[in-house]
Amino acid sequence: MRENSQPQPAKSSITQLMLVLLPLAAMLVAFVWIASLDPLRSFNNGAPPVEAMTVERTILDETGIGLRVRAGGSDPMVIAQVVVDDAFWTFTQDPPGPIARGEAVWVQIPYPWVLGEAHVVKLLSNTGTAFEHEIAVAVSTPKATTSQLQAQALVGAIVGLLPVALGLMFYPAMRGVGRAGMNFLLALTVGLLAFLLIDMTAEALELASEAAALFQGTAMVWLAGLASFLLLMAIGRWRGQPEGLALAFFIALGIGLHNFGEGLAIGGAFAAGSAGLGTFLVLGFALHNVTEGIGIAAPMLRFRPPLWTFPALTLLAGGPAVLGMWAGSLAYAPQWSALALAVGAGAILQVMIEVGSYLMRQNRDRKAVLFSPAVIGGFLGGIAFMYATAALIKV
């Protein structure tokens, strides 16, 4: 007997929709039933609820101390008292009332803080739990004035735009290098990106540890980095492997995301009074970032891009440092800074793979080129230069 080879009719769209909606409805009913049943009620022994509170931002101005705090306890929390430097102080809360899990409020304390001094603030809940926050160095928090934004834009341009532009100025001289020189420059690019990847990941994880536990900082960093990497890989390989200007664009994008995260960290540190930006530090940042422009130019050496390409790439790679400075000093929060750095780390990893792949395609003997003096020297030189110059900007 012959088997029926006729195709089975496709299920109607209504049937397919019902097959999806029925499990979803069952899940909703089950969750509502579990919530109403409260199966752990019988285990309640009268112990107080688990409480957690994280200070995300500190504002110091003429009115006193302002803290943005986020609750992460199992039940809504109530701030009952505030202690500053071992003395009880009055406070106001906006919005008032119990703070639900995940909710953030502003706590304003009319305390006469002293410039340059350290202060310790303790928030006491109605259960008696104390949450301590230290202000290491009290300085007035920058405000969104025109002069302040202009000053931050100048600093951001010096540490972001200027170094990239100086690095891209080496493009005419770089065009004269041979095959070995080209391999050296591409490997140099991979080396400096490798340092940025490690540095950004470590900084993202450090910031994530300061965020409220409900953000799951460590998982957020790794997942955001992975998502960024996969998304950019998909975009980059959409029409084949990127080369020339397209590859330079991806390098500039990855470096731009790094500079945005770097600007966030600088702006946040200055707003918190934990760092000062002296001339030596500015020069350190500029020197540290000069190789970024060289790395962006490396994939374009075999092409003749139009002149507008260079200011566009400079703006893409260095401009985010200005935006990061503004955001970091005016609206800093550790979880968002960690997220930005994680996205940048994923972009850097994507660029490393693409530049490495481009390096392999430029050489017939792919196995030999990986361990050639030019490639090894360039890779290690990029890491060494970034490591040495990073020592100038670590505070």
Side-chain angles (χ1 to χ4, degrees), residues 224-240:
L226 178 62
S228 172
F229 167 72
L230 293 176
L231 181 61
L232 290 174
M233 282 295 293
I235 295 174
R237 298 293 180 97
W238 184 28
R239 294 185 177 179

Side-chain angles (χ1 to χ4, degrees), residues 160-161 163-165 167-169 171 174 182 185-186 188-190 192-193 196 243-256 259 289-301 305 309-318 351 355 358:
L161 288 169
V164 175
L168 283 171
M169 290 179 65
Y171 173 78
M174 292 163 59
M182 179 72 171
L185 292 173
L186 290 174
L188 180 77
T189 302
V190 177
L192 69 91
L193 292 174
L196 293 181
E243 296 187 5
L245 182 57
L247 185 54
F249 167 82
F250 279 108
I251 296 176
L253 176 62
I255 290 175
N259 284 334
N289 294 339
V290 163
T291 50
E292 295 175 351
I294 297 176
I296 295 171
M300 300 188 297
L301 298 183
T309 300
F310 296 95
L313 290 173
T314 300
L315 188 62
L316 179 61
V351 173
V355 175
Y358 180 71

Side-chain angles (χ1 to χ4, degrees), residues 122-182:
K122 292 182 181 178
L123 305 175
L124 303 177
S125 72
N126 60 341
T127 65
T129 306
F131 301 94
E132 185 175 298
H133 173 65
E134 181 183 2
I135 302 173
V137 181
V139 294
S140 181
T141 303
K143 295 183 179 180
T145 62
T146 301
S147 59
Q148 181 68 39
L149 293 177
Q150 289 176 347
Q152 292 175 355
L154 176 61
V155 174
I158 292 175
V159 303
L161 288 169
L162 180 61
V164 175
L166 292 175
L168 283 171
M169 290 179 65
F170 285 94
Y171 173 78
M174 292 163 59
R175 284 183 55 86
V177 301
R179 175 63 60 85
M182 179 72 171

